[in-house]
Amino acid sequence: MEVGNARNPATKRKFDDAVSNGFTTDTNTNTVDLSLLEAIEKSQNAVDVLDLRSLKKHVLSFERRLKENIEARLKYPNQPDRFADSEVELHEELQKLKVLAGAPELYPDLVNLNVVPSIVDLLNHDNTDIAIDVVQLLLDLTDEDVLDDNDDSARVLVDALVDSSALELLVQNLHRLNDSDPDENAAVYGTLATVENLIEVKPAVAELVCERTKLLKWLLGKIKVREFDSNKQYASEILAILLQSSTVNQKKLGQMNGVDVVLQAVAMYKSKDPKSSDEEEMLENLFDCLCCLLMPLENKERFVKAEGVELMIIIMKQKKLAYGSAIRALDFAMTKYPPACERFVDVLGLKTAFAAFMGKIPVSKKNKKERYQEELEERLVSLIASLFGGILRGSRRERLLSKFVENECEKIDRLMELYIRYSDRVKAETERLNQVELDDLEMDEDERYNRKLESGLYTLQLIAVILGHLWCSEHQQMRGRIELLLKQNKLSKKHIKDILQVYVLKDILIIVFCVGFCGGYIDEVRCPTKY
């Protein structure tokens, strides 16, 4: 991910500059000074190959400079000019250690030399510049490109860093960095990037860093700021990473008023679009965070209390870039949570949702993409299925059902249109899987089922569930429309029932309702609440 110039890389010299600085040319004969060329070649050959011996040499030199700096600071605590030279030398040694990133296979030896704790402790150095040097060093050592094909060495280093309290000191140092200073701003990015690298190698770090540090609090503070910058973007990305696979982190952030903070952050875009692609990415990250937060039940409750349902509907009505993300968040909020479904109906969300369901989606460059349209369709189908699962009776149920009678049952027509499309897609995938060679032992029944889900089976099942609810309403006009459309497409009620039965067999059975999709009599079919 690009984050402005946060890495603050040294400017590379152009080839023309290297030539003009490295060679002398006779203006009359236009020949190169061969003696200088030979000297340059010898100097290049003199570069040490990084091995265990040179590693020990680097470590000893670093420890010597570190010791000198500690002694100078203890001896002259109030005379910075007396220990300044030692810190310049320490800075230079930290820069030299970056060469270790070129030999990740030596990381276990680096750990065995017991120098990692000394390096990590410098994150707490009184001189912020030294701490920044360490941040950049750790970033280089844990860079994803460096660690490729060196999994074992990477894990050894990451374990040593975690054991040496690197997480605690990185975050502690983060709190004293000032974004207005270019070097410190780069160090903020470097800190977040290092945390991401550590998680990449050892996923358990995602929970460890939230358990041991105040990183979540810092990230929340960062996304609350109204002004956009590259580090705010990266903070939103790291927050999403911390939440995406950890229920513990999701619950912890919820307890820290995280749902309300994230809602405030996305509310800034309820009536305006991001001004750049980076800001657009940040907005998507924020919605990723929100959707992750909405997985635990207690956070769904916080979402409803914070009027999150109302905010998402407002965003949909404004028809800005966050339109699709708002639908996704509502889908997460309403899944297996009836109070959110009831609130959605009470604040007149049905009109907005069904307008989108009928294809009245705001047009933009992003929205024109076919896959984006399909994702919205699938989310809306899931949302409507959640409404039927969460609202089983009363006036709200009647209002929901009445939507399918409006305008001569046009929404049932739309539902059947989607049913046919997804049915054809799943059928094609099934035929393709059946043609797979019999000796392909790697694909078991579960994998085949997952392939079908990816091709659209899950959405097809949800459509079948919605049709089942409509049929169970015993509304003659709706039943008649469903039967007519099935007949026109040469399908029977048994086709829908078979889809429902596959759905039932693969999910937890919770709710029981009757579906008369089979030969004139009523069959009892169990329908899960997982919509």
Side-chain angles (χ1 to χ4, degrees):
M1 186 194 76
E2 283 189 53
V3 185
N5 294 320
R7 284 185 183 272
N8 197 23
T11 304
K12 294 183 179 179
R13 292 191 301 165
K14 296 181 179 179
F15 178 75
D16 291 340
D17 295 334
V19 172
S20 63
N21 292 330
F23 300 138
T24 60
T25 305
D26 188 316
T27 56
N28 295 322
T29 61
N30 197 33
T31 58
V32 175
D33 186 338
L34 296 179
S35 62
L36 181 56
L37 181 61
E38 184 179 354
I40 292 174
E41 185 177 351
K42 287 182 179 179
S43 67
Q44 290 175 339
N45 292 334
V47 176
D48 290 337
V49 176
L50 192 60
D51 55 15
L52 181 57
R53 181 179 178 182
S54 58
L55 170 63
K56 290 180 178 179
K57 182 179 177 181
H58 280 295
V59 169
L60 286 173
S61 181
F62 162 73
E63 290 182 333
R64 186 183 307 115
R65 298 305 181 192
L66 174 60
K67 182 180 179 182
E68 291 172 356
N69 179 244
I70 293 173
E71 291 174 348
R73 275 187 165 269
L74 289 174
K75 190 173 182 179
Y76 308 105
N78 299 318
Q79 302 178 55
D81 57 312
R82 302 295 293 270
F83 56 73
D85 289 344
S86 70
E87 289 187 4
V88 171
E89 292 170 347
L90 180 58
H91 160 77
E92 291 173 351
E93 288 302 324
L94 287 168
Q95 296 300 313
K96 291 178 182 178
L97 286 177
K98 290 183 179 181
V99 73
L100 301 179
E105 67 277 4
L106 293 177
Y107 285 177
D109 297 304
L110 179 69
V111 172
N112 290 334
L113 291 172
N114 201 31
V115 70
V116 172
S118 298
I119 294 173
V120 171
D121 283 346
L122 286 175
L123 287 166
N124 204 27
H125 198 282
D126 289 339
N127 187 339
T128 307
D129 290 338
I130 296 295
I132 290 174
D133 288 336
V134 176
V135 170
Q136 293 302 319
L137 173 60
L138 295 181
L139 178 59
D140 286 353
L141 294 178
T142 61
D143 186 87
E144 181 181 3
D145 294 334
V146 171
L147 299 182
D148 276 350
D149 302 322
N150 289 279
D151 293 346
D152 292 339
S153 297
R155 280 191 287 270
V156 170
L157 177 63
V158 170
D159 286 341
L161 289 171
V162 172
D163 292 343
S164 301
S165 302
L167 297 176
E168 292 89 334
L169 292 175
L170 277 167
V171 176
Q172 183 177 312
N173 183 59
L174 192 61
H175 281 85
R176 66 170 174 165
L177 296 176
N178 184 356
D179 283 1
S180 62
D181 180 278
D183 291 335
E184 295 188 20
N185 185 58
V188 170
Y189 170 81
T191 300
L192 297 178
T194 300
V195 171
E196 182 179 8
N197 291 342
L198 297 178
I199 294 172
E200 185 71 24
V201 175
K202 184 176 181 178
V205 169
E207 290 189 359
L208 285 175
V209 73
C210 295
E211 175 188 334
R212 299 180 181 182
T213 76
K214 296 181 179 180
L215 180 59
L216 284 179
K217 181 180 179 180
W218 185 90
L219 292 171
L220 284 180
K222 194 67 180 173
I223 66 173
K224 285 171 69 174
V225 178
R226 296 193 67 86
E227 294 76 18
F228 171 78
D229 60 37
S230 58
N231 282 336
K232 180 180 179 181
Q233 175 194 359
Y234 204 7
S236 68
E237 183 176 340
I238 295 299
L239 187 58
I241 290 172
L242 294 174
L243 295 174
Q244 66 185 3
S245 58
S246 173
T247 303
V248 173
N249 289 349
Q250 293 162 6
K251 292 181 177 180
K252 185 179 182 70
L253 194 66
Q255 294 166 357
M256 296 169 61
N257 200 34
V259 173
D260 194 53
V261 172
V262 175
L263 284 174
Q264 290 176 34
V266 300
M268 299 179 194
Y269 298 91
K270 66 183 178 183
S271 56
K272 70 175 184 177
D273 284 336
K275 296 179 181 179
S276 66
S277 59
D278 286 342
E279 192 171 2
E280 181 180 333
E281 182 183 333
M282 183 201 68
L283 181 58
E284 292 178 359
N285 291 337
L286 290 173
F287 272 102
D288 287 342
C289 294
L290 182 58
C291 291
C292 290
L293 279 170
L294 288 172
M295 297 182 78
L297 187 65
E298 55 265 42
N299 287 344
K300 293 177 188 283
E301 181 179 356
R302 294 184 177 104
F303 178 80
V304 172
K305 287 183 177 179
E307 299 184 352
V309 174
E310 290 88 334
L311 176 60
M312 296 305 112
I313 293 173
I314 290 172
I315 292 174
M316 289 179 66
K317 287 180 177 180
Q318 293 294 323
K319 298 182 179 180
K320 297 297 181 180
L321 187 73
Y323 180 88
S325 298
I327 293 174
R328 181 161 64 104
L330 284 170
D331 182 28
F332 273 84
M334 292 160 62
T335 299
K336 297 184 182 178
Y337 193 61
C341 299
E342 293 169 358
R343 176 68 66 86
F344 184 81
V345 175
D346 292 344
V347 296
L348 309 180
L350 291 178
K351 181 179 180 180
T352 305
F354 278 101
F357 178 70
M358 294 303 294
K360 297 176 183 178
I361 296 171
V363 178
S364 68
K365 290 182 179 179
K366 179 180 178 181
N367 294 359
K368 287 180 180 178
K369 295 179 181 179
E370 183 178 349
R371 183 53 198 154
Y372 177 84
Q373 298 279 354
E374 289 183 355
E375 287 176 359
L376 278 189
E377 286 177 355
E378 292 166 5
R379 287 291 177 189
L380 287 162
V381 167
S382 178
L383 188 151
I384 293 170
S386 293
L387 284 169
F388 274 112
I391 302 173
L392 300 177
R393 59 185 63 85
S395 61
R396 296 188 184 97
R397 177 82 172 188
E398 293 301 320
R399 289 166 64 183
L400 177 59
L401 289 169
S402 69
K403 284 293 178 181
F404 288 88
V405 183
E406 293 176 350
N407 299 326
E408 299 181 354
C409 300
E410 65 174 3
K411 295 174 184 65
I412 295 180
D413 295 350
R414 171 67 170 161
L415 199 62
M416 286 303 301
E417 173 195 331
L418 294 174
Y419 182 87
I420 299 302
R421 188 203 306 167
Y422 281 93
S423 180
D424 289 344
R425 190 180 299 177
V426 172
K427 181 180 178 182
E429 178 65 13
T430 302
E431 291 174 353
R432 190 190 70 79
L433 292 173
N434 290 337
Q435 292 174 0
V436 174
E437 294 181 2
L438 295 176
D439 58 353
D440 185 2
L441 301 177
E442 295 182 1
M443 187 178 296
D444 57 19
E445 190 60 34
D446 285 340
E447 186 175 351
R448 288 172 63 88
Y449 182 72
N450 288 333
R451 293 282 183 90
K452 292 179 185 179
L453 289 176
E454 291 172 2
S455 71
L457 176 59
Y458 184 59
T459 300
L460 179 63
Q461 291 169 337
L462 294 181
I463 296 171
V465 168
I466 296 171
L467 288 169
H469 280 285
L470 295 177
W471 189 272
C472 290
S473 69
E474 299 184 354
H475 192 289
Q476 293 306 310
Q477 186 178 359
M478 286 194 286
R479 282 193 171 191
R481 193 69 170 190
I482 293 171
E483 287 185 317
L484 174 63
L485 293 171
L486 286 173
K487 185 176 181 180
Q488 287 177 348
N489 289 281
K490 299 180 180 179
L491 295 173
S492 67
K493 289 173 284 186
K494 186 178 183 302
H495 187 277
I496 298 178
K497 183 183 176 183
D498 290 343
I499 296 296
L500 283 171
Q501 286 180 325
V502 173
Y503 185 49
V504 167
L505 290 172
K506 291 290 182 178
D507 286 288
I508 302 172
L509 312 183
I510 305 290
I511 300 175
V512 177
F513 70 96
C514 296
V515 184
F517 279 139
C518 189
Y521 61 88
I522 301 296
D523 273 11
E524 186 175 79
V525 177
R526 291 184 174 186
C527 178
T529 56
K530 182 182 177 183
Y531 294 134

